[in-house]
Amino acid sequence: MRINSITPGTKLNIHLTYRDMSFDTSSFVISSYGDGALITPVYFAGKIIEYCSDATFEIVNPITGIKRRFYIEDMSRVDFAGSDFHVIRGREITLSVNNRKAERFKIQREATVTIKDKKSVRLIINDLSVRGISLLVGKYSDNFNIGDEIEIDLVNEETLKHITFVSKIIRKFKVGDLDAVGCEVKNVSTGLLMYLQFKKMQKHSHNDQRMFEEAI
């Protein structure tokens, strides 16, 4: 679904980062606006937001209860006859958070993991989805216990931005001869969603290339 096709009057549940602070708010769609949508104004600390490029929003179908999530690439203030509004542009995030089994992506990248005693170690992320993550913990296995919450700091190789999120360890297992832990992701940030979207596009591009090469 395109943002400019959202029905006027639809409520938007918005999560945004502004001035290094994250918060949740809501707005309503007034009408389509070019390739975006005109919405009721969004405020921070009592003042209207001039511009934001780090936000997501959800809409919920009142009949089916199905949620759709969108990434806001830019939200700009506009003035109509002395009244403030915002115009938002972006795209739908096609990763299905509602599916019982979310698509997993092989990452095989290093990340900084901070455990409960504030000790940080460098570990390999084995795979990642919108719901969970598995880490190869190796010799650090004894430091990771079921029920522990850990903080993970991963660098997006496309944007070089840090993605930080919290996960809870729910199982311990082995990947070949290596000790590993499986975790539930506790806070799905905008950065994590966009990274998963990037990995999905990367995976599809690789599959398309393989199909083409094997067809030659």
Side-chain angles (χ1 to χ4, degrees):
M1 175 185 284
R2 296 179 182 276
I3 284 181
N4 61 2
S5 66
I6 297 174
T7 304
T10 299
K11 182 180 180 180
L12 310 182
N13 300 307
I14 303 173
H15 177 80
L16 60 84
T17 300
Y18 184 69
R19 294 182 180 174
D20 297 323
M21 295 184 66
S22 295
F23 66 100
D24 296 309
T25 186
S26 62
S27 181
F28 291 87
V29 174
I30 298 171
S31 68
S32 62
Y33 191 94
D35 59 352
L38 185 70
I39 66 172
T40 55
V42 179
Y43 294 86
F44 174 78
K47 295 182 179 180
I48 192 165
I49 291 173
E50 290 294 330
Y51 178 81
C52 178
S53 61
D54 188 5
T56 59
F57 71 85
E58 285 185 349
I59 59 175
V60 182
N61 187 304
I63 298 174
T64 65
I66 294 175
K67 294 180 181 179
R68 305 184 81 142
R69 176 170 280 184
F70 296 78
Y71 175 65
I72 298 176
E73 294 175 339
D74 69 76
M75 179 172 71
S76 304
R77 185 183 73 85
V78 293
D79 183 308
F80 284 122
S83 296
D84 289 316
F85 299 93
H86 276 106
V87 172
I88 56 172
R89 295 180 176 85
R91 60 185 182 275
E92 183 173 8
I93 298 169
T94 57
L95 294 164
S96 180
V97 178
N98 299 311
N99 284 351
R100 188 164 178 265
K101 289 188 70 176
E103 185 175 6
R104 282 188 171 267
F105 303 96
K106 277 285 184 183
I107 303 297
Q108 299 292 311
R109 288 180 56 80
E110 272 198 349
T112 300
V113 180
T114 304
I115 51 185
K116 59 184 178 181
D117 61 0
K118 301 302 180 183
K119 178 181 179 181
S120 294
V121 294
R122 295 288 292 174
L123 299 176
I124 297 293
I125 296 176
N126 184 48
D127 59 37
L128 178 64
S129 78
V130 75
R131 290 188 180 276
I133 183 172
S134 67
L135 299 161
L136 304 180
V137 296
K139 65 181 181 181
Y140 299 107
S141 180
D142 291 342
N143 297 105
F144 293 85
N145 300 297
I146 293 173
D148 287 350
E149 288 196 351
I150 57 177
E151 185 178 86
I152 299 164
D153 186 340
L154 167 68
V155 176
N156 183 328
E157 65 265 33
E158 181 188 33
T159 64
L160 301 182
K161 291 184 177 180
H162 286 259
I163 306 162
T164 304
F165 56 97
V166 174
S167 295
K168 182 178 181 180
I169 300 171
I170 57 174
R171 68 187 183 109
K172 300 182 78 170
F173 62 103
K174 285 186 176 289
V175 176
D177 295 328
L178 298 173
D179 289 324
V181 294
C183 309
E184 175 190 8
V185 174
K186 302 296 289 183
N187 60 325
V188 182
S189 65
T190 302
L192 180 57
L193 284 170
M194 295 312 297
Y195 183 65
L196 288 167
Q197 184 77 1
F198 161 65
K199 299 308 288 187
K200 182 173 185 175
M201 293 173 62
Q202 191 179 58
K203 177 181 176 181
H204 288 177
S205 176
H206 176 69
N207 288 344
D208 290 345
Q209 185 178 1
R210 282 186 60 192
M211 288 175 65
F212 179 71
E213 289 173 349
E214 290 171 4
I216 293 176

